[in-house]
């Protein structure tokens, strides 16, 4: 059985260890279509990421903030969320 998943959030870490440094999250609505806008959540600042967010464009934004620490996916398609 092949499942299809959609990435909806990335937590990035910049620093020398998980106990020090800075965390930034890139995310979008997990219930929306894959074309939903991505946002950058950085402490008290939230900003939209302009333009179409292809995997390459998202990588460019995310890699400027350090290393991906946690990735969040949602299963797509029929039966993706139990009732």
């Amino acid at each position: 059985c092949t499942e299809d998943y959609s990435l909806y959030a990335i937590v990035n870490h910049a620093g020398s260890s998980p106990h020090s440094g800075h965390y930034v999250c890139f995310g979008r609505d997990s219930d929306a279509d894959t074309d939903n806008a991505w946002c950058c959540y950085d402490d008290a600042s939230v900003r939209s990421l302009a333009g179409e967010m292809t995997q390459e464009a998202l990588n460019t934004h995310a890699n400027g903030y350090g290393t991906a620490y946690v990735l969040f996916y949602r299963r797509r398609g029929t039966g993706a969320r139990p009732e």
Side-chain angles (χ1 to χ4, degrees):
C1 178
T2 301
E3 300 291 339
D4 190 24
Y5 292 87
S6 177
L7 179 68
Y8 70 90
I10 303 168
V11 176
N12 278 16
H13 176 259
S16 59
S17 79
H19 304 290
S20 66
H22 186 68
Y23 291 88
V24 175
C25 180
F26 295 92
R28 63 180 174 173
D29 185 353
S30 67
D31 289 331
D33 292 334
T34 57
D35 294 335
N36 197 27
W38 284 85
C39 293
C40 177
Y41 301 87
D42 186 356
D43 293 334
S45 171
V46 178
R47 63 182 172 84
S48 291
L49 301 179
E52 183 180 342
M53 201 50 48
T54 63
Q55 183 66 49
E56 183 177 329
L58 184 60
N59 285 343
T60 299
H61 282 286
N63 287 334
Y65 284 95
T67 304
Y69 189 69
V70 180
L71 304 174
F72 294 87
Y73 291 89
R74 178 167 185 260
R75 188 172 58 194
R76 293 193 283 182
T78 307
R81 181 175 286 170
E83 297 296 324

